[in-house]
Amino acid sequence: MERIAIIGSRTDMARHAKELGLEVVLVHSPGSRPDRVQRYVDLMIECPVPVTEPDAVLDILAPLHHDRPFRRVLAPGEDAVLAAAVASEKLGIPGNSVETVRAIKNKVLTRQAMERAGISPVLHRVVASEAELLDFIAEVGGKVILKPIDSTGSLSTLPIDDAEQAPGAWELFVADGHAEGLVEEFLEGPEVTLESFSTAGTHHPIGVDEYLKAPGQAVEIGDLFPGRVDPAVREEMVRLTRALLDAVGLLEGPSHTEFILTDRGPRILETHCRIGGGGIHELVRRAYDIDLSRLQVAVPLGLETFTPHSLDAGRGAVMIHFMPKPGLVTAITGLDTLGVPVNHMPIETAWTGLIGLDPIRDAEVGVNLCLQVGEVAIPVRNNWELLMGFVVANGADADEAVARAEAVLDAITIETVPVDDTPGE
């Protein structure tokens, strides 16, 4: 039986590995929730430190590999992609190189790769002080965005309108633990992504994801496949993505490349060598009948092949998250009139509210509601706080999928009162 190692405790990859007849060794961070994965693995090891520490993961895997080699070391999430690359390289196992993964994870190195490739120009600079931030704002002469050099989910990502806002933004950024950051000109336009899958250094487009945002909201409230993008723009996104992935040397597996569609054309924000978050894997499955988690295991091992498909061939698929007015939930109404499956799953911050997908996976339209009466609806500041539940829907096309999901959302009322106004406060 062939053997693989998985770094991180998400379920889908381990489940597919077991279905494919593989022996699975799973290494997870301390305090994570591997119980959902346990049934699919043959050996589970808790790393003494988070799996973001590559040397600790390597220390665990090296003796196991010496006894019986692993075919692949894989990571389903952002936290462990570097550890998987380091272990693969040190142990002589095929996979993406450490240099490639570092160039993708580090937003400055990604920008440098784009500059070498001559694509997607964006004004940017590394800043380590408020004064340097102010200098860049003066150079741009307009709105900028400050972000960590290595982070995901919009954590500590701060739009800054002008020099007057810079001191407060820098103070918040430093308070979040950052000594330096990447500041870029602010790109105006819709935000979309291109999901891709690479085999032997060839990058195949999977589909365009459109971020859905509420008016005035920076964090997306949902994802839509296929994204409603002009075919010529989509073709340019594919070209730019392939050029970037070539520039960083990606060989295999999924990638998630983020774009802003500006009036100067598509501009790349960043890319990732993993499946996109926020339920994108489920929407890809619903829209194109493609399971990226399964491909990530099966294709590199030669157990299955990847067949390119037409990006116009998919159905519509959407996931829209509940974002009620912050406060104590006093009532939830409308659930009994929906006529669609409703799943209840308690909020768990480590799983970003997506753990309720399985019970509604086969439903054309389904609801997963994590928030309950008596709990507090939080203000959503980044993608990691999309915890309160979602509606997922299919349609003949993207517009129909959105219409079906919005009809369900409109039928549900989540009433809240400010926490300070609750009885007994």
Side-chain angles (χ1 to χ4, degrees):
M1 183 183 292
E2 294 185 320
R3 192 186 202 198
I4 67 168
I6 296 177
I7 317 303
S9 53
R10 297 185 185 179
T11 306
D12 285 348
M13 184 183 287
R15 173 168 55 86
H16 289 304
K18 186 53 61 178
E19 291 169 354
L20 291 163
L22 301 170
E23 180 182 342
V24 180
V25 174
L26 181 110
V27 180
H28 65 90
S29 294
S32 64
R33 289 291 306 273
D35 51 299
R36 294 189 182 90
V37 191
Q38 193 161 7
R39 75 184 83 170
Y40 305 118
V41 307
D42 300 279
L43 177 63
M44 181 179 293
I45 303 171
E46 181 174 298
C47 191
V49 296
V51 294
T52 51
E53 301 294 329
D55 290 343
V57 173
L58 178 62
D59 287 344
I60 291 170
L61 295 182
L64 297 173
H65 180 71
H66 181 268
D67 290 341
R68 193 151 55 85
F70 294 108
R71 280 286 310 278
R72 279 294 193 283
V73 179
L74 302 172
E78 181 79 19
D79 58 341
V81 291
L82 182 58
V86 169
S88 297
E89 199 164 277
K90 295 288 187 181
L91 300 176
I93 300 168
N96 293 314
S97 72
V98 172
E99 181 181 8
T100 290
V101 174
R102 288 192 191 280
I104 289 172
K105 283 182 62 62
N106 184 301
K107 293 178 175 62
V108 176
L109 296 180
T110 305
R111 284 278 171 226
Q112 291 173 356
M114 285 189 270
E115 289 176 340
R116 291 195 303 272
I119 59 171
S120 204
V122 173
L123 294 175
H124 65 279
R125 183 177 301 166
V126 176
V127 294
S129 68
E130 179 187 317
E132 292 178 354
L133 175 59
L134 285 166
D135 285 346
F136 184 77
I137 292 173
E139 178 183 324
V140 171
K143 190 174 180 179
V144 302
I145 189 160
L146 176 64
K147 59 183 71 173
I149 291 172
D150 181 359
S151 185
T152 63
S154 299
L155 289 170
S156 302
T157 298
L158 304 171
I160 304 170
D161 289 336
D162 50 35
E164 186 176 341
Q165 291 184 356
W170 184 254
E171 184 178 350
L172 286 172
F173 193 71
V174 172
D176 281 347
H178 305 290
E180 64 177 8
L182 177 64
V183 61
E184 300 175 343
E185 61 175 307
F186 190 87
L187 300 175
E188 298 281 359
E191 188 170 355
V192 298
T193 75
L194 183 69
E195 308 306 308
S196 306
F197 192 84
S198 299
T199 58
T202 298
H203 317 298
H204 307 283
I206 296 291
V208 172
D209 172 41
E210 177 183 339
Y211 286 176
L212 304 178
K213 297 186 179 183
Q217 176 67 251
V219 178
E220 65 265 23
I221 61 170
D223 294 271
L224 173 65
F225 269 84
R228 294 165 292 191
V229 173
D230 181 272
V233 173
R234 186 180 67 189
E235 184 177 340
E236 177 66 359
M237 289 171 60
V238 171
R239 184 189 74 82
L240 293 172
T241 297
R242 284 172 167 159
L244 173 56
L245 298 182
D246 280 344
V248 297
L250 190 73
L251 293 178
E252 65 181 40
S255 59
H256 167 77
T257 306
E258 302 174 14
F259 287 84
I260 298 292
L261 304 184
T262 76
D263 56 9
R264 297 173 290 165
R267 292 291 185 269
I268 296 173
L269 288 178
E270 57 194 57
T271 193
H272 302 272
C273 50
R274 56 165 172 81
I275 297 170
I280 283 177
H281 68 289
E282 171 67 5
L283 300 183
V284 168
R285 186 191 69 82
R286 283 172 170 264
Y288 295 107
D289 197 25
I290 292 173
D291 195 316
L292 289 170
S293 292
R294 186 179 182 92
L295 290 178
Q296 191 174 2
V297 178
V299 173
L301 273 68
L303 301 176
E304 294 178 358
T305 58
F306 175 79
T307 303
H309 63 281
S310 168
L311 300 187
D312 295 317
R315 303 177 65 205
V318 69
M319 178 181 291
I320 304 178
H321 293 263
F322 290 106
M323 293 181 66
K325 187 175 181 179
L328 182 71
V329 178
T330 58
I332 301 175
T333 59
L335 293 173
D336 55 348
T337 65
L338 294 175
V340 302
V342 178
N343 180 60
H344 293 277
M345 186 71 69
I347 292 174
E348 296 185 33
T349 56
W351 290 78
T352 62
L354 294 176
I355 54 176
L357 271 173
D358 280 348
I360 57 175
R361 193 175 295 275
D362 295 327
E364 280 284 296
V365 182
V367 176
N368 180 58
L369 185 59
C370 302
L371 197 64
Q372 305 296 322
V373 172
E375 295 181 329
V376 174
I378 63 172
V380 175
R381 298 159 296 182
N382 56 64
N383 296 355
W384 294 105
E385 293 176 336
L386 293 172
L387 306 171
M388 293 171 281
F390 55 83
V391 176
V392 63
N394 275 107
D397 56 22
D399 288 334
E400 183 179 79
V402 170
R404 296 177 80 181
E406 287 181 343
V408 170
L409 285 164
D410 290 343
I412 300 171
T413 300
I414 301 177
E415 298 179 20
T416 65
V417 296
V419 172
D420 291 342
D421 292 346
T422 58
E425 290 291 327

